Amino acid sequence: MATFLNFFKLVKDIHCRSFLFNGWKYCNRSNASINTSINPLKTQTHIPLNFSNPVATSCRTFHKTAHMTQSTVPTDETRYDKFVEISFEDTVKNIFNTTWLRENCQCEKCHTKETSQRRVMFHKLKLESFIINELKTDRYISGHTSVKWSDGHQSEYKNSWLQSMAQLERKSITSRFLWNNNSISNMLSEFHVKFEELLEKEESLKLLVSNLIRFGVGLVVGCPPNPEATQKASERIAPMLATMYGTLWEMSNKNWMEFKDTAYTNEEIGSHTDGTYFSSSPGLQVFHCIHHDSSGGETLLVDGFYCAEQLRTRFPNYFEVLTTKRLCHDYADPDLKDRSTEPILKVDPVTKEMEWIRYNPYDRSAFTGVSQKELPEIYSALLQLAKLIEDQNNVFTIKLTPGTVLFVDNWRILHGRTSFTGNRHLCGCYISRDNWMQQARTLKLI
């Protein structure tokens, strides 16, 4: 009983007029300080909190009504279910959770500016720490919003920061260009970055990383044909990723028995992505052909996201299969074992844009990870995806020569090669997804 009375005492302390509508309590704070640029609260408007149809008036606070009895207490969800609406420049209206606002207070007591880390943990604060006594904001995105909380704490936020945080997904500054053979052939010259300029100029580094974001492909020309120079070009983006192949690997059909992998032969290899047997596939793959004394061995490149979008348009049911069914991939060297189980395709849950394609029919395991009865629709989906990947209209062919270093986004671009004669010697490396994305953010490209 005492807990019940304390809860309603807390509600009373909020000082609000309440209206019920479809299970939502709509509160107008009688003591809120609102400057003249913010629309006054209209008490006749009774609208439930709905992010797809936000209320059009500034500085409103909402919380979901708890259906309480004398034997119940506030749950974790109802403790933190209050929201405030803040409008900027009369057109931008955003709803903020008050717990989120308090947790992300930018003052020096709550936030370390140098490291962008918070000092105060929300779960250690009392409930009144999340109740707004006073909110003031000016109408411009370039301005500020200040909040006085019931526990006496004061917060101030840049309106531009609040606006950016209100977006469900931050938009990339560099947009993707999905391509097939015809469209990419006309843009090949845009990919070239000179080796010496890459080492010396941030502008050239930015161009290379921008190309990788936009096209999934980048080329560095004029690189000395040796592993050391290849390493310098690679590490200009980020450190090399260590795997069972080492950091900087060398691959030749002369040493194919070193690893039990068809990449170390002179056979044709169909388009695929690497490291599907890792829990996190390599982010970038780097290739440099430093010697080839005969013919063949052209590199095949396919935009996996372009193919995935074609699949989504033509066969949406198969697209769903490949985004929901988790398939197993193995590395099955007698002395080295690795395994990962993930969907072939992954989409962002908010934007629905492609996040990855993990396609490697060579390493897809006999151990499927799904029931036998699920296999017919999986095989049907894989067939349609394979047709798109192998369609020559979607395959771009390039002959790698000594001095040209190829960078590919391994989460997006499939690579393969034609068969060849003679001796062919490549070197290269992997770079983790986290590390090259870190570089892209540092360069303000995403």
Side-chain angles (χ1 to χ4, degrees):
M1 184 64 179
T3 303
F4 178 79
L5 292 175
N6 287 337
F7 172 72
F8 277 96
K9 182 178 183 299
L10 179 60
V11 172
K12 183 180 178 181
D13 289 342
I14 299 176
H15 304 299
C16 65
R17 296 195 302 273
S18 300
F19 305 92
L20 294 179
F21 188 91
N22 288 352
W24 287 91
K25 180 171 284 186
Y26 164 87
C27 301
N28 173 19
R29 300 194 183 286
S30 58
N31 63 336
S33 176
I34 308 173
N35 102 356
T36 56
S37 67
I38 303 179
N39 297 327
L41 185 67
K42 297 179 180 179
T43 58
Q44 69 271 22
T45 305
H46 301 176
I47 303 177
L49 182 61
N50 183 334
F51 284 93
S52 64
N53 182 26
V55 188
T57 304
S58 298
C59 194
R60 295 175 171 178
T61 305
F62 307 82
H63 64 85
K64 195 170 183 178
T65 303
H67 297 284
M68 304 286 293
T69 67
Q70 290 190 2
S71 61
T72 61
V73 295
T75 65
D76 286 343
E77 183 179 352
T78 58
R79 290 174 192 269
Y80 309 119
D81 69 349
K82 298 175 181 62
F83 301 84
V84 65
E85 184 184 85
I86 306 174
S87 297
F88 306 126
E89 298 183 358
D90 291 336
T91 58
V92 182
K93 304 175 180 67
N94 301 290
I95 293 174
F96 297 97
N97 178 268
T98 58
T99 305
W100 178 89
L101 277 173
R102 181 64 182 84
E103 179 188 38
N104 290 286
C105 173
Q106 302 293 292
C107 79
E108 62 181 13
K109 292 181 180 179
C110 300
H111 180 263
T112 305
K113 183 178 180 181
E114 292 75 15
T115 63
S116 293
Q117 291 177 301
R118 64 175 58 93
R119 294 175 180 267
V120 175
M121 304 297 112
F122 81 93
H123 59 279
K124 295 185 178 181
L125 297 174
K126 296 180 180 180
L127 288 182
E128 56 263 30
S129 300
F130 310 121
I131 298 171
I132 296 176
N133 270 359
E134 185 177 70
L135 186 150
K136 296 181 180 179
T137 186
D138 54 48
R139 61 180 295 156
Y140 300 107
I141 292 293
S142 59
H144 294 78
T145 293
S146 60
V147 177
K148 185 175 181 180
W149 304 92
S150 289
D151 63 358
H153 190 76
Q154 296 193 51
S155 304
E156 185 168 291
Y157 312 88
K158 291 182 179 179
N159 290 345
S160 57
W161 182 83
L162 287 174
Q163 176 66 16
S164 67
M165 292 298 109
Q167 299 175 14
L168 288 179
E169 180 72 14
R170 298 185 189 182
K171 294 181 179 180
S172 176
I173 298 172
T174 307
S175 60
R176 289 175 181 163
F177 179 87
L178 306 188
W179 52 264
N180 59 15
N181 178 44
N182 183 56
S183 59
I184 201 69
S185 298
N186 298 326
M187 297 182 172
L188 188 60
S189 60
E190 296 185 26
F191 298 165
H192 291 185
V193 174
K194 293 181 180 179
F195 174 75
E196 292 297 337
E197 293 180 355
L198 174 65
L199 300 187
E200 298 173 0
K201 299 180 180 179
E202 183 172 299
E203 182 179 334
S204 295
L205 171 62
K206 196 170 184 177
L207 177 59
L208 175 60
V209 177
S210 176
N211 286 337
L212 285 166
I213 297 168
R214 189 178 180 199
F215 304 107
V217 179
L219 290 171
V220 174
V221 296
C223 179
N226 60 65
E228 294 75 21
T230 308
Q231 179 174 346
K232 287 182 180 179
S234 303
E235 290 184 333
R236 189 69 173 98
I237 292 181
M240 298 182 296
L241 175 66
T243 67
M244 73 275 262
Y245 302 107
T247 49
L248 184 75
W249 45 259
E250 295 187 51
M251 180 172 61
S252 170
N253 51 308
K254 281 187 173 182
N255 66 340
W256 75 273
M257 288 300 292
E258 183 177 349
F259 291 98
K260 309 302 186 292
D261 195 301
T262 52
Y264 288 77
T265 70
N266 64 350
E267 300 174 10
E268 176 184 351
I269 301 176
S271 299
H272 63 282
T273 60
D274 272 19
T276 52
Y277 38 73
F278 294 141
S279 58
S280 180
S281 295
L284 294 180
Q285 179 146 17
V286 182
F287 297 99
H288 187 187
C289 180
I290 57 179
H291 174 77
H292 186 200
D293 57 17
S294 194
S295 62
E298 286 83 7
T299 295
L300 313 175
L301 298 175
V302 177
D303 188 344
F305 287 2
Y306 177 86
C307 294
E309 292 298 345
Q310 293 294 308
L311 184 72
R312 180 171 8 203
T313 300
R314 300 180 192 179
F315 305 98
N317 55 323
Y318 291 152
F319 182 85
E320 182 178 1
V321 167
L322 296 183
T323 58
T324 55
K325 303 298 183 183
R326 301 173 74 241
L327 298 181
C328 184
H329 292 77
D330 281 338
Y331 182 82
D333 185 283
D335 301 319
L336 294 169
K337 306 291 182 185
D338 223 325
R339 171 176 288 177
S340 180
T341 305
E342 293 288 353
I344 300 294
L345 306 176
K346 184 180 179 183
V347 297
D348 185 284
V350 176
T351 66
K352 306 305 178 184
E353 290 184 347
M354 288 296 304
E355 283 197 0
W356 79 40
I357 177 170
R358 294 167 68 105
Y359 181 84
N360 193 321
Y362 301 99
D363 294 331
R364 183 160 43 78
S365 177
F367 175 75
T368 61
V370 299
S371 70
Q372 293 290 309
K373 291 184 177 180
E374 294 175 274
L375 290 176
E377 67 173 358
I378 291 174
Y379 280 126
S380 297
L382 287 171
L383 171 64
Q384 296 304 326
L385 179 60
K387 286 182 177 180
L388 289 164
I389 290 171
E390 295 171 9
D391 185 337
Q392 290 305 301
N393 291 320
N394 297 332
V395 180
F396 175 70
T397 303
I398 182 173
K399 176 71 173 180
L400 294 182
T401 56
T404 299
V405 185
L406 171 66
F407 291 75
V408 296
D409 179 352
N410 188 58
W411 282 32
R412 171 182 170 182
I413 303 299
L414 291 76
H415 66 276
R417 69 148 189 255
T418 63
S419 61
F420 63 90
T421 59
N423 296 320
R424 187 171 182 260
H425 187 179
L426 273 74
C427 67
C429 66
Y430 295 132
I431 295 173
S432 78
R433 175 76 175 182
D434 284 340
N435 282 348
W436 92 267
M437 286 288 100
Q438 180 185 68
Q439 181 67 273
R441 289 189 181 91
T442 301
L443 293 171
K444 296 181 171 55
L445 294 172
I446 58 175

